């Protein structure tokens, strides 16, 4: 298998909100040149690929997911030359760049929609989905439950309703129209030609609408995505398509096709179960969802995450589990949003360092390529009082100087977090870099160790038998004759456990990759005592 076209199999990803990262021109908004300044930091952290949230011109009613021009850069972020520079500078450091591609919809300010609503005979009319009634496709659910009452909105100018799965300012494109299909390919080609390494494809389950269905994961959608992939294989064989399909494992599996559709897909259902397992001190939810996850073709990869720029979605849990998660993790109503929780990783885990690291140990060792959300490597906090999902999109905390070193402006696009315990004076990159025992250094070490072992990107997961199966989640990652045994103590108490060793682990000693401590197996078992919320990444030491 060609290493270059499969770089994503063992890459570590990092999601950047450009507006929050670094402001190079003092206007209070992070920008592309600011991000260029921080590439050394990202390289040093060990990140292989950045996912940039939308950077296109937009009225920003959905923070850029409402695109008004697919071929430009929002002036807050800079211009196309800055973007080219970013790609060149990132590539120099062996960092790849993917951006969001919002295929499902545009902003209502996009010229296509402006033309479409003005003139029934415009060629752009059929770029969108119109109806004289608001009764069609009534089985499609509403996603932004807190704000939207219907997926149809009346347009006075057009004298018809238009279809939208998200905000009413985001009309859905009509993929039954071959011109729309071609436009999207042309747009992707535009960015691929500029050197971009692929796209995180936003909201793909909803491309088509069909009466009598819920309008998700339709066969037509898969057919079109296969065409997109064929285009990639021909035009940009190293480019990737990372699918955002917030669906059950069986349904997400379909987005890989026979290895001829999306390269990667977020594993949405595993994410809330990591939080469930940590709270219940029981790994069963993680084990069950992975057992329910169908195998994927060798040339595909899952993408795992703990948090991202959206609310912590609770779509992929049962009703009962959702309420339990809300009670446990969002006790204040303000913390809840749509079907989720608008909080960051560190506050969710009570700012408990051991727990945060344990969550990261799971992230970095379960099947899939991990993605970090900016700021979570230092345990940044959130601000639930900001609107919508903005509370998890506050400025990156670089140091303890004004505006956290993010910007020289009087006023930043959003307030820097200044309340203890997450204030920028105490939580920032500089202070954590100076402290060898910080979250930052532990996470950096996990990244480095992960990248040394092919088992993580390429290997199978095999459960390890042990006598504390609930509290201790133990598994082998195995690729060819390489083996690593991961042991996570999910409990708040120390646990002593006996783990059965498989063939390749029966060596005189096992070494923990993260601390270099060793332990000695005896007659087919290893007995371990793990402190509360701790983890080991054990590798067999060959004699000599
Ligand atoms: C995706 C994005 C989210 C956005 C939505 C509509 O779910 O992650 O931020 O609001 O799509 O584009």
């Amino acid at each position: 298998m060609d290493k270059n076209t499969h770089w994503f199999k063992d890459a570590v990803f990092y999601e950047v909100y450009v507006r929050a990262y670094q402001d190079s021109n003092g206007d209070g908004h992070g920008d592309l040149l600011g991000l260029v300044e921080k590439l050394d930091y990202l390289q040093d952290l060990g990140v292989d690929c950045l996912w940039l949230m939308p950077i296109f011109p937009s009225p920003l009613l959905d923070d850029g997911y409402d695109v008004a021009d697919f071929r430009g850069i929002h002036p807050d972020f800079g211009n196309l030359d800055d973007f080219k520079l970013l790609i060149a500078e990132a590539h120099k450091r062996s960092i790849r760049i993917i951006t969001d591609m919002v295929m499902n919809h545009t902003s209502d300010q996009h010229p296509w929609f402006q033309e479409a609503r003005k003139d029934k005979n415009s060629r752009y009319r059929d770029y969108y989905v119109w109806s004289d009634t608001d009764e069609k496709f009534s089985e499609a659910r509403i996603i932004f439950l807190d704000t939207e009452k219907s997926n149809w909105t009346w347009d006075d100018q057009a004298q018809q309703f238009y279809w939208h799965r998200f905000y009413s300012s985001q009309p859905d494109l009509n993929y039954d129209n071959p011109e729309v299909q071609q436009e999207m390919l042309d747009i992707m080609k535009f960015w691929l030609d500029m050197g971009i390494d692929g796209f995180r494809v936003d909201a793909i389950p909803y491309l088509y609408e069909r009466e009598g269905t819920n309008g998700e994961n339709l066969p037509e959608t898969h057919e079109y995505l296969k065409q997109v992939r064929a285009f990639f294989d021909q035009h940009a064989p190293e480019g990737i398509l990372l699918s955002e399909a917030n669906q059950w494992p069986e349904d997400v599996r379909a987005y890989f096709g026979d290895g001829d559709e999306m390269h990667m897909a977020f594993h949405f259902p595993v994410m809330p179960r990591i939080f469930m397992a940590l709270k219940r001190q029981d790994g069963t939810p993680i084990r069950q969802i992975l057992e329910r996850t169908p195998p994927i073709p060798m040339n595909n990869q899952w993408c795992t995450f703990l948090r991202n720029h959206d609310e912590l979605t609770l779509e992929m849990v049962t009703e009962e589990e959702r309420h339990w998660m809300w009670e446990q993790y969002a006790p204040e109503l303000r913390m809840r949003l749509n079907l989720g929780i608008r909080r960051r990783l560190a506050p969710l885990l009570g700012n408990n360092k051991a727990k945060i690291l344990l969550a990261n140990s799971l992230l970095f060792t379960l099947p899939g390529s991990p993605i970090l959300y900016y700021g979570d490597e230092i345990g940044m906090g959130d601000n639930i009082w900001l609107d919508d999902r903005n509370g998890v999109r506050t400025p990156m905390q670089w140091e303890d100087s004004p505006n956290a070193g993010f910007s020289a402006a009087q006023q930043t696009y959003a307030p820097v977090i200044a309340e203890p315990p997450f204030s920028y004076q105490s939580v920032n990159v500089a202070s954590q870099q100076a402290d060898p025992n910080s979250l930052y250094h532990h996470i950096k070490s996990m990244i480095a160790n992960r990248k040394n072992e092919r088992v993580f990107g390429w290997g199978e997961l095999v459960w390890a038998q042990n006598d504390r199966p609930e509290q201790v989640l133990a598994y082998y990652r195995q690729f060819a004759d390489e083996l690593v045994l991961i042991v996570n103590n999910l409990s708040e108490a120390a646990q002593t456990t006996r783990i059965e060793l498989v063939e390749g682990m029966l060596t005189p000693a096992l070494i923990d990759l993260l601390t270099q401590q060793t332990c000695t197996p005896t007659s087919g078992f290893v007995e371990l005592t793990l402190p509360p919320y701790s983890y080991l990444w054990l590798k067999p030491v060959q004699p000599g």
Side-chain angles (χ1 to χ4, degrees):
M1 208 169 275
D2 179 343
K3 193 165 179 300
N4 285 334
T5 52
H6 291 84
W7 60 268
F8 58 89
K9 291 271 298 182
D10 31 29
V12 173
F13 289 72
Y14 185 98
E15 177 182 2
V16 184
Y17 179 39
V18 175
R19 191 179 302 279
Y21 216 59
Q22 181 65 35
D23 172 12
S24 72
N25 61 358
D27 67 355
H29 298 266
D31 45 45
L32 295 171
L33 294 181
L35 178 54
V36 171
E37 290 171 26
K38 294 300 179 186
L39 288 172
D40 289 337
Y41 166 78
L42 292 161
Q43 182 185 26
D44 183 55
L45 182 60
V47 165
D48 301 297
C49 182
L50 307 180
W51 153 28
L52 312 188
M53 285 164 61
I55 48 174
F56 313 107
S58 159
L60 303 177
L61 295 177
D62 186 8
D63 221 346
Y65 286 92
D66 45 338
V67 179
D69 171 7
F70 285 104
R71 289 186 173 78
I73 300 285
H74 193 289
D76 287 349
F77 300 141
N79 55 41
L80 282 173
D81 285 335
D82 298 346
F83 188 71
K84 289 180 197 156
L85 180 74
L86 171 67
I87 293 188
E89 290 297 320
H91 286 176
K92 262 189 219 164
R93 295 166 177 81
S94 304
I95 296 177
R96 304 192 193 234
I97 306 260
I98 66 173
T99 59
D100 257 293
M101 185 48 63
V102 188
M103 273 170 91
N104 181 65
H105 45 265
T106 69
S107 158
D108 59 7
Q109 300 307 304
H110 194 290
W112 296 341
F113 191 73
Q114 292 296 323
E115 289 300 314
R117 61 159 38 144
K118 253 200 324 243
D119 178 3
K120 220 175 178 134
N121 300 313
S122 153
R123 67 175 268 229
Y124 295 110
R125 184 74 162 205
D126 193 41
Y127 272 40
Y128 297 89
V129 183
W130 301 94
S131 168
D132 292 329
T133 77
D134 59 357
E135 275 144 35
K136 284 165 81 177
F137 315 133
S138 60
E139 286 166 48
R141 71 193 165 113
I142 294 170
I143 296 166
F144 286 162
L145 277 170
D146 288 5
T147 43
E148 301 302 314
K149 297 282 159 278
S150 164
N151 288 323
W152 290 107
T153 289
W154 175 255
D155 191 63
D156 266 343
Q157 219 180 343
Q159 287 293 303
Q160 277 193 307
F161 292 94
Y162 62 88
W163 179 250
H164 56 87
R165 293 307 303 265
F166 295 91
Y167 288 128
S168 59
S169 53
Q170 292 164 301
D172 270 37
L173 285 163
N174 173 21
Y175 277 88
D176 279 317
N177 181 346
E179 287 184 47
V180 169
Q181 299 182 9
Q182 187 58 43
E183 290 275 11
M184 256 324 137
L185 290 179
D186 293 346
I187 288 163
M188 290 198 258
K189 180 168 185 303
F190 173 83
W191 294 101
L192 288 165
D193 287 348
M194 214 177 290
I196 204 168
D197 300 288
F199 304 100
R200 177 253 191 197
V201 189
D202 185 69
I204 52 165
Y206 319 107
L207 299 188
Y208 286 80
E209 301 71 39
R210 289 292 179 266
E211 206 53 75
T213 74
N214 66 358
E216 301 184 20
N217 317 319
L218 297 177
E220 292 82 351
T221 297
H222 290 293
E223 249 163 65
Y224 177 60
L225 292 172
K226 284 191 206 301
Q227 285 177 41
V228 176
R229 172 60 184 266
F231 166 79
F232 264 66
D233 285 348
Q234 210 185 19
H235 194 80
E238 288 186 33
I240 60 160
L241 293 156
L242 164 57
S243 115
E244 188 218 12
N246 188 352
Q247 301 284 332
W248 291 99
E250 312 74 75
D251 295 323
V252 185
R253 169 64 186 82
Y255 286 91
F256 294 123
D258 297 320
D260 59 353
E261 212 171 304
M262 310 300 275
H263 302 77
M264 299 185 76
F266 289 111
H267 199 313
F268 274 93
V270 86
M271 180 276 295
R273 287 170 180 79
I274 292 177
F275 290 91
M276 264 184 224
L278 288 173
K279 195 61 118 184
R280 291 189 188 153
Q281 309 180 45
D282 176 357
T284 309
I286 298 175
R287 195 175 302 125
Q288 284 174 341
I289 202 71
L290 290 179
E291 279 165 5
R292 181 180 162 176
T293 300
I296 61 174
M298 195 59 176
N299 63 342
N300 288 122
Q301 182 61 300
W302 292 108
C303 190
T304 47
F305 62 103
L306 296 170
R307 287 297 294 114
N308 63 21
H309 65 289
D310 286 324
E311 68 274 29
L312 186 167
T313 164
L314 298 174
E315 279 164 77
M316 292 303 120
V317 298
T318 65
E319 181 90 31
E320 198 187 330
E321 290 168 330
R322 184 177 309 134
H323 285 278
W324 183 85
M325 284 286 288
W326 269 328
E327 278 160 29
Q328 300 297 321
Y329 283 111
E332 290 175 45
L333 279 184
R334 179 70 196 179
M335 295 170 174
R336 304 177 190 183
L337 179 68
N338 298 316
L339 286 185
I341 302 174
R342 51 173 133 198
R343 300 182 74 192
R344 260 193 187 262
L345 181 66
L348 280 164
L349 299 182
N351 205 18
N352 178 322
K353 188 168 147 200
K355 252 177 146 169
I356 297 170
L357 287 172
L358 175 59
N360 277 285
S361 165
L362 292 163
L363 172 72
F364 285 113
T365 60
L366 289 174
S369 293
I371 184 157
L372 281 164
Y373 183 49
Y374 86 92
D376 280 350
E377 74 274 30
I378 53 167
M380 258 171 65
D382 51 38
N383 179 351
I384 58 168
W385 301 104
L386 298 179
D387 236 22
D388 200 349
R389 291 148 289 174
N390 296 337
V392 299
R393 301 180 187 178
T394 60
M396 179 70 178
Q397 296 172 194
W398 295 106
E399 50 193 47
D400 67 0
S401 62
N403 291 337
F406 154 73
S407 166
Q410 285 292 331
Q411 204 181 349
T412 52
Y413 74 93
V416 176
I417 298 214
E419 300 285 302
F422 297 106
S423 71
Y424 68 91
Q425 288 94 339
S426 49
V427 178
N428 63 64
V429 170
S431 68
Q432 295 207 12
Q433 283 182 328
D435 170 8
N437 197 28
S438 65
L439 204 56
Y440 164 87
H441 278 293
H442 282 288
I443 289 178
K444 185 174 164 184
S445 152
M446 285 193 214
I447 294 175
N449 276 290
R450 182 192 155 93
K451 286 167 64 167
N452 277 336
E453 306 296 330
R454 285 193 304 175
V455 293
F456 293 118
W458 294 85
E460 297 291 303
L461 175 140
V462 181
W463 300 111
Q465 299 305 321
N466 76 86
D467 58 359
R468 288 274 183 283
E470 291 174 353
Q471 296 92 336
V472 177
L473 191 69
Y475 41 90
Y476 294 102
R477 299 301 314 275
Q478 179 167 21
F479 181 66
D481 58 355
E482 296 163 37
L483 261 177
V484 176
L485 168 62
I486 306 294
V487 189
N488 300 289
N489 176 12
L490 304 172
S491 127
E492 64 188 1
Q495 296 289 332
T496 298
T497 179
R498 246 165 79 87
I499 302 180
E500 203 176 305
L501 295 177
V502 295
E503 178 75 25
M505 292 301 264
L506 299 170
T507 48
L510 305 177
I511 183 163
D512 176 28
L513 294 172
L514 299 164
T515 60
Q516 310 304 312
Q517 282 171 359
T518 55
C519 53
T520 317
T522 39
S523 52
F525 288 90
V526 63
E527 192 170 294
L528 301 165
T529 298
L530 292 113
Y533 302 129
S534 67
Y535 46 86
L536 294 166
W537 296 10
L538 297 172
K539 201 180 161 169
V541 187
Q542 303 306 337

mmCIF file of all heavy atoms in Angstrom, residues 142-150 164 166-168 337-338 387-389:
data_model
loop_
_atom_site.group_PDB
_atom_site.id
_atom_site.type_symbol
_atom_site.label_atom_id
_atom_site.label_comp_id
_atom_site.label_asym_id
_atom_site.label_seq_id
_atom_site.Cartn_x
_atom_site.Cartn_y
_atom_site.Cartn_z
ATOM 1 N N ILE A 142 -35.576 17.913 12.371
ATOM 2 C CA ILE A 142 -34.962 19.241 12.471
ATOM 3 C C ILE A 142 -33.699 19.099 13.310
ATOM 4 O O ILE A 142 -33.728 18.489 14.382
ATOM 5 C CB ILE A 142 -35.944 20.237 13.102
ATOM 6 C CG1 ILE A 142 -37.136 20.432 12.148
ATOM 7 C CG2 ILE A 142 -35.266 21.575 13.390
ATOM 8 C CD1 ILE A 142 -38.282 21.200 12.750
ATOM 9 N N ILE A 143 -32.600 19.627 12.824
ATOM 10 C CA ILE A 143 -31.314 19.432 13.520
ATOM 11 C C ILE A 143 -31.076 20.538 14.551
ATOM 12 O O ILE A 143 -30.742 20.259 15.703
ATOM 13 C CB ILE A 143 -30.169 19.340 12.492
ATOM 14 C CG1 ILE A 143 -30.376 18.085 11.629
ATOM 15 C CG2 ILE A 143 -28.814 19.276 13.208
ATOM 16 C CD1 ILE A 143 -29.536 18.021 10.388
ATOM 17 N N PHE A 144 -31.237 21.779 14.144
ATOM 18 C CA PHE A 144 -31.055 22.882 15.097
ATOM 19 C C PHE A 144 -32.370 23.138 15.838
ATOM 20 O O PHE A 144 -33.062 24.142 15.635
ATOM 21 C CB PHE A 144 -30.562 24.149 14.382
ATOM 22 C CG PHE A 144 -29.122 24.097 13.964
ATOM 23 C CD1 PHE A 144 -28.621 24.977 12.997
ATOM 24 C CD2 PHE A 144 -28.222 23.200 14.548
ATOM 25 C CE1 PHE A 144 -27.280 24.963 12.615
ATOM 26 C CE2 PHE A 144 -26.887 23.167 14.175
ATOM 27 C CZ PHE A 144 -26.419 24.045 13.206
ATOM 28 N N LEU A 145 -32.668 22.183 16.711
ATOM 29 C CA LEU A 145 -33.962 22.187 17.402
ATOM 30 C C LEU A 145 -34.242 23.447 18.209
ATOM 31 O O LEU A 145 -35.391 23.845 18.376
ATOM 32 C CB LEU A 145 -33.986 21.011 18.379
ATOM 33 C CG LEU A 145 -34.348 19.656 17.810
ATOM 34 C CD1 LEU A 145 -34.086 18.585 18.859
ATOM 35 C CD2 LEU A 145 -35.817 19.661 17.401
ATOM 36 N N ASP A 146 -33.185 24.053 18.742
ATOM 37 C CA ASP A 146 -33.401 25.201 19.626
ATOM 38 C C ASP A 146 -33.839 26.452 18.868
ATOM 39 O O ASP A 146 -34.357 27.386 19.470
ATOM 40 C CB ASP A 146 -32.121 25.523 20.420
ATOM 41 C CG ASP A 146 -31.852 24.483 21.502
ATOM 42 O OD1 ASP A 146 -32.604 23.486 21.551
ATOM 43 O OD2 ASP A 146 -30.896 24.654 22.267
ATOM 44 N N THR A 147 -33.593 26.498 17.556
ATOM 45 C CA THR A 147 -33.902 27.732 16.821
ATOM 46 C C THR A 147 -34.864 27.527 15.642
ATOM 47 O O THR A 147 -35.597 28.443 15.294
ATOM 48 C CB THR A 147 -32.615 28.371 16.256
ATOM 49 O OG1 THR A 147 -31.800 27.332 15.717
ATOM 50 C CG2 THR A 147 -31.850 29.113 17.333
ATOM 51 N N GLU A 148 -34.846 26.362 15.021
ATOM 52 C CA GLU A 148 -35.625 26.179 13.797
ATOM 53 C C GLU A 148 -36.920 25.428 14.071
ATOM 54 O O GLU A 148 -36.930 24.442 14.813
ATOM 55 C CB GLU A 148 -34.791 25.428 12.750
ATOM 56 C CG GLU A 148 -33.496 26.129 12.385
ATOM 57 C CD GLU A 148 -33.705 27.536 11.861
ATOM 58 O OE1 GLU A 148 -34.583 27.743 10.999
ATOM 59 O OE2 GLU A 148 -32.993 28.442 12.339
ATOM 60 N N LYS A 149 -37.984 25.881 13.444
ATOM 61 C CA LYS A 149 -39.280 25.221 13.627
ATOM 62 C C LYS A 149 -39.601 24.283 12.478
ATOM 63 O O LYS A 149 -40.457 23.414 12.585
ATOM 64 C CB LYS A 149 -40.395 26.276 13.733
ATOM 65 C CG LYS A 149 -40.253 27.195 14.953
ATOM 66 C CD LYS A 149 -40.712 26.507 16.245
ATOM 67 C CE LYS A 149 -40.119 27.161 17.481
ATOM 68 N NZ LYS A 149 -38.732 26.743 17.818
ATOM 69 N N SER A 150 -38.954 24.521 11.344
ATOM 70 C CA SER A 150 -39.268 23.734 10.149
ATOM 71 C C SER A 150 -38.029 23.691 9.264
ATOM 72 O O SER A 150 -37.131 24.532 9.386
ATOM 73 C CB SER A 150 -40.418 24.410 9.398
ATOM 74 O OG SER A 150 -40.517 23.917 8.076
ATOM 75 N N HIS A 164 -34.045 23.682 3.913
ATOM 76 C CA HIS A 164 -32.764 23.841 4.624
ATOM 77 C C HIS A 164 -32.722 22.890 5.810
ATOM 78 O O HIS A 164 -33.659 22.834 6.591
ATOM 79 C CB HIS A 164 -32.579 25.289 5.101
ATOM 80 C CG HIS A 164 -33.701 25.792 5.962
ATOM 81 N ND1 HIS A 164 -33.721 25.608 7.322
ATOM 82 C CD2 HIS A 164 -34.849 26.437 5.654
ATOM 83 C CE1 HIS A 164 -34.841 26.140 7.805
ATOM 84 N NE2 HIS A 164 -35.551 26.630 6.814
ATOM 85 N N PHE A 166 -30.311 23.104 8.127
ATOM 86 C CA PHE A 166 -29.723 23.799 9.279
ATOM 87 C C PHE A 166 -30.443 25.141 9.449
ATOM 88 O O PHE A 166 -31.656 25.202 9.323
ATOM 89 C CB PHE A 166 -28.198 23.898 9.103
ATOM 90 C CG PHE A 166 -27.547 22.528 9.114
ATOM 91 C CD1 PHE A 166 -27.356 21.806 7.948
ATOM 92 C CD2 PHE A 166 -27.184 21.939 10.322
ATOM 93 C CE1 PHE A 166 -26.799 20.525 7.985
ATOM 94 C CE2 PHE A 166 -26.632 20.664 10.371
ATOM 95 C CZ PHE A 166 -26.433 19.966 9.195
ATOM 96 N N TYR A 167 -29.700 26.224 9.733
ATOM 97 C CA TYR A 167 -30.373 27.514 9.898
ATOM 98 C C TYR A 167 -31.116 27.905 8.618
ATOM 99 O O TYR A 167 -30.690 27.549 7.514
ATOM 100 C CB TYR A 167 -29.351 28.599 10.241
ATOM 101 C CG TYR A 167 -28.790 28.511 11.642
ATOM 102 C CD1 TYR A 167 -27.413 28.511 11.851
ATOM 103 C CD2 TYR A 167 -29.630 28.459 12.754
ATOM 104 C CE1 TYR A 167 -26.883 28.444 13.136
ATOM 105 C CE2 TYR A 167 -29.108 28.385 14.036
ATOM 106 C CZ TYR A 167 -27.733 28.381 14.228
ATOM 107 O OH TYR A 167 -27.222 28.305 15.496
ATOM 108 N N SER A 168 -32.153 28.705 8.776
ATOM 109 C CA SER A 168 -32.915 29.120 7.589
ATOM 110 C C SER A 168 -32.075 30.026 6.697
ATOM 111 O O SER A 168 -32.416 30.241 5.537
ATOM 112 C CB SER A 168 -34.207 29.833 8.009
ATOM 113 O OG SER A 168 -33.883 30.955 8.801
ATOM 114 N N LEU A 337 -27.429 22.458 24.651
ATOM 115 C CA LEU A 337 -27.732 23.131 23.392
ATOM 116 C C LEU A 337 -28.179 22.072 22.389
ATOM 117 O O LEU A 337 -27.491 21.058 22.214
ATOM 118 C CB LEU A 337 -26.482 23.862 22.878
ATOM 119 C CG LEU A 337 -26.629 24.597 21.548
ATOM 120 C CD1 LEU A 337 -27.551 25.794 21.673
ATOM 121 C CD2 LEU A 337 -25.266 25.052 21.027
ATOM 122 N N ASN A 338 -29.284 22.330 21.712
ATOM 123 C CA ASN A 338 -29.855 21.336 20.793
ATOM 124 C C ASN A 338 -29.837 19.973 21.485
ATOM 125 O O ASN A 338 -30.280 19.869 22.613
ATOM 126 C CB ASN A 338 -29.100 21.337 19.459
ATOM 127 C CG ASN A 338 -29.229 22.690 18.766
ATOM 128 O OD1 ASN A 338 -30.308 23.261 18.709
ATOM 129 N ND2 ASN A 338 -28.123 23.213 18.259
ATOM 130 N N ASP A 387 -23.134 33.074 22.958
ATOM 131 C CA ASP A 387 -24.220 32.544 22.150
ATOM 132 C C ASP A 387 -23.872 31.222 21.476
ATOM 133 O O ASP A 387 -22.709 30.952 21.212
ATOM 134 C CB ASP A 387 -24.475 33.566 21.043
ATOM 135 C CG ASP A 387 -25.911 33.993 21.056
ATOM 136 O OD1 ASP A 387 -26.541 33.845 22.105
ATOM 137 O OD2 ASP A 387 -26.376 34.463 19.997
ATOM 138 N N ASP A 388 -24.912 30.463 21.153
ATOM 139 C CA ASP A 388 -24.760 29.308 20.262
ATOM 140 C C ASP A 388 -23.585 28.445 20.742
ATOM 141 O O ASP A 388 -23.497 28.114 21.918
ATOM 142 C CB ASP A 388 -24.563 29.828 18.828
ATOM 143 C CG ASP A 388 -24.879 28.784 17.758
ATOM 144 O OD1 ASP A 388 -25.051 27.614 18.108
ATOM 145 O OD2 ASP A 388 -24.946 29.131 16.563
ATOM 146 N N ARG A 389 -22.652 28.103 19.824
ATOM 147 C CA ARG A 389 -21.520 27.266 20.228
ATOM 148 C C ARG A 389 -20.256 28.088 20.471
ATOM 149 O O ARG A 389 -19.150 27.554 20.533
ATOM 150 C CB ARG A 389 -21.272 26.204 19.148
ATOM 151 C CG ARG A 389 -22.373 25.168 19.089
ATOM 152 C CD ARG A 389 -22.582 24.647 17.689
ATOM 153 N NE ARG A 389 -23.202 25.664 16.837
ATOM 154 C CZ ARG A 389 -23.412 25.539 15.533
ATOM 155 N NH1 ARG A 389 -23.079 24.425 14.916
ATOM 156 N NH2 ARG A 389 -23.970 26.513 14.837
#
